Amino acid sequence: MTSLNLVMFGDFLSKLKIGKTGQSFILERSGEMIATSTEEKPFKNYPEKVVELPEQRVERLNVVNSSNAITQKASQALLEQFHDFQNIQASHQLKFTVDGKNYFVQVAPFRDSKGIDWLVVVTIPEADFMNQINANTQTTILLCLATLIMAILLGILTARRIIRPVERITTASEAIAEGNLNQQVEVSSIIELGKLANVFNGMTKQLKDSLDALHLANEELEARVEQRTGELRQEKEKSEQLLLNILPAEIADRLMRTNESPAEHFEEATILFADIVGFTSISARIEPLQLVAGLNQIFSAFDQLTEKYGLEKIKTIGDAYMVVGGLPASRPDHCEAIANMALDMQAYMQEVENIFGESLQIRIGINTGPVIAGVIGIKKFIYDLWGDAVNIASRMESHGKPGYIQVTDATYLKLQNKYLLEPRGTIEVKGRGEMMTYWLLGRREGILATSTR
């Protein structure tokens, strides 16, 4: 009964008119043909008469094995495009060729609530709808050619008397629009056109004189603007560079963009204080200029170490040097970076040439903890730190020994696996009572100091 229904369905498709020679067929997702508008039957070895017997088995025809060349090529084109009929989930259009002729194919899924999931395919030869278009195109071209010939003949007749003088003025106007002001047109014998030519020639001369004067003034103005812009650019670069020398890059950029730099809280940072031992007595024995030059040499070397390890110099007070790691940009290795800088500062002071006529020693203190950082004030401002962690770092320096690096227990816990540290023991710290501190002696074997920039 199902086979008979499919045959009847195919008879229905064959009665549909699709263009002149268009065809259609319906298939399942498996590729088995359901019906076709051609005379081909959707079964292999279709019998002369279908007998409605339950035991009768008829094998369905796969569309790629169709004897109809158009049906076969259309199904192959769909498979080449989608690889499987299951992948066709929406309407699509394709193009294929059979025996040198182009065909268009339209495929669309058909589903209903009873479980039907078919693909409806329609193929139309390109020639079916192009023949009429080509015929209309030829007729249109012939009409256009006839109209063009008539217009040309009329234009030639009109130009002999009127159009040519107007065209000369038009051509001159186009040249002026392109920047060529050296235009003068011939005066026509026709009174109206002659007056128009005279007015045009006078206007062109005045326009050229005015434009020449404008060009001269514009060149002078551009030269002045360019000179002034260059000066302003140089001043802006100097100001920005000066600001970057005073503040961290992120803070300077924020100030330039918003004119604001609120204080920020950092959960963890490592602060280093360093002080040259005996500097007060040295300053009393040598000339001020020599003192400042020597101090500048030492602090410049410290600045290079700050840059090397990606740290932030906060300030110098006399012979004291303050630097911090972990802000304004947070980083996980801030404690290690500070330790590396402290060891390099210590090594530099041991190897530096005799600056003030005697050997120099440095005392360094380090602490790790939360801080507040920011810029306050509106004049002669600096980027500074506040908090108990800063005070403790300062105490580590002031309670230390010449030539030693003293660290707190918080810093020790961060460094113990990669650095050599020795317990100093418990010391009395002003304002804090007794505190356990350690001496930072060096890096463990195999641990290298690495630059972050």
Side-chain angles (χ1 to χ4, degrees), residues 28-294:
E28 294 184 345
R29 295 286 182 173
S30 62
E32 293 179 341
M33 183 180 292
I34 296 173
T36 176
S37 64
T38 66
E39 296 180 356
E40 183 179 23
K41 301 303 180 182
F43 307 99
K44 290 184 178 179
N45 302 321
Y46 189 79
E48 291 293 330
K49 182 179 180 181
V50 178
V51 181
E52 299 178 12
L53 297 177
E55 66 273 16
Q56 186 174 25
R57 294 290 184 269
V58 180
E59 186 178 354
R60 298 272 292 280
L61 176 66
N62 195 298
V63 291
V64 296
N65 298 324
S66 173
S67 60
N68 184 280
I70 296 175
T71 301
Q72 186 184 87
K73 290 290 185 179
S75 60
Q76 290 175 354
L78 291 173
L79 287 175
E80 290 176 1
Q81 176 70 22
F82 300 98
H83 306 295
D84 194 312
F85 293 125
Q86 297 288 349
N87 297 331
I88 303 175
Q89 300 300 325
S91 179
H92 295 279
Q93 294 182 350
L94 301 175
K95 187 176 181 181
F96 65 96
T97 303
V98 178
D99 296 331
K101 297 180 180 180
N102 293 328
Y103 287 78
F104 294 99
V105 58
Q106 170 84 30
V107 58
F110 175 78
R111 302 183 181 91
D112 71 354
S113 59
K114 297 180 180 180
I116 292 179
D117 188 6
W118 294 345
L119 295 176
V120 180
V121 182
V122 178
T123 62
I124 303 176
E126 185 182 59
D128 277 10
F129 54 87
M130 288 302 296
N131 289 339
Q132 185 62 42
I133 294 176
N134 292 334
N136 293 339
T137 301
Q138 292 176 358
T139 302
T140 302
I141 292 174
L142 291 176
L143 291 174
C144 290
L145 288 175
T147 304
L148 180 61
I149 292 172
M150 293 179 63
I152 292 174
L153 292 176
L154 292 174
I156 292 174
L157 294 175
T158 305
R160 291 178 179 176
R161 185 67 180 170
I162 299 175
I163 300 302
R164 288 178 182 173
V166 175
E167 286 181 344
R168 288 196 292 267
I169 295 176
T170 301
T171 302
S173 300
E174 292 175 350
I176 291 174
E178 294 174 357
N180 184 5
L181 299 181
N182 296 317
Q183 300 296 320
Q184 293 290 306
V185 298
E186 181 182 351
V187 178
S188 174
S189 59
I190 301 176
I191 297 176
E192 290 78 6
L193 293 178
K195 292 180 179 179
L196 178 61
N198 288 328
V199 172
F200 179 84
N201 291 336
M203 179 190 67
T204 303
K205 185 177 182 305
Q206 292 179 2
L207 182 61
K208 184 178 182 302
D209 294 342
S210 300
L211 195 58
D212 289 343
L214 182 61
H215 279 316
L216 182 60
N218 187 56
E219 290 175 358
E220 294 178 355
L221 180 60
E222 286 181 352
R224 293 177 184 176
V225 170
E226 184 176 356
Q227 179 183 1
R228 182 57 179 162
T229 302
E231 294 174 354
L232 292 174
R233 187 183 301 111
Q234 291 178 358
E235 292 300 322
K236 182 175 180 293
E237 291 174 354
K238 290 179 182 179
S239 299
E240 291 178 353
Q241 188 59 45
L242 180 61
L243 193 59
L244 288 174
N245 287 335
I246 298 173
L247 301 175
E250 293 183 8
I251 304 303
D253 180 66
R254 188 186 306 170
L255 279 173
M256 286 186 289
R257 286 187 293 104
T258 65
N259 201 31
E260 295 181 356
S261 180
E264 297 178 275
H265 177 263
F266 295 88
E267 286 295 334
E268 189 175 82
T270 301
I271 309 101
L272 178 150
F273 279 91
D275 187 77
I276 299 175
V277 179
F279 183 78
T280 303
S281 60
I282 294 173
S283 62
R285 295 194 301 269
I286 64 175
E287 293 293 328
L289 291 178
Q290 182 184 356
L291 180 71
V292 173

Side-chain angles (χ1 to χ4, degrees), residues 379-396:
K379 297 183 68 176
K380 296 183 179 181
F381 49 78
I382 64 170
Y383 187 70
D384 209 347
L385 306 180
W386 300 272
D388 192 50
V390 179
N391 298 330
I392 294 174
S394 178
R395 296 287 186 269
M396 289 299 101

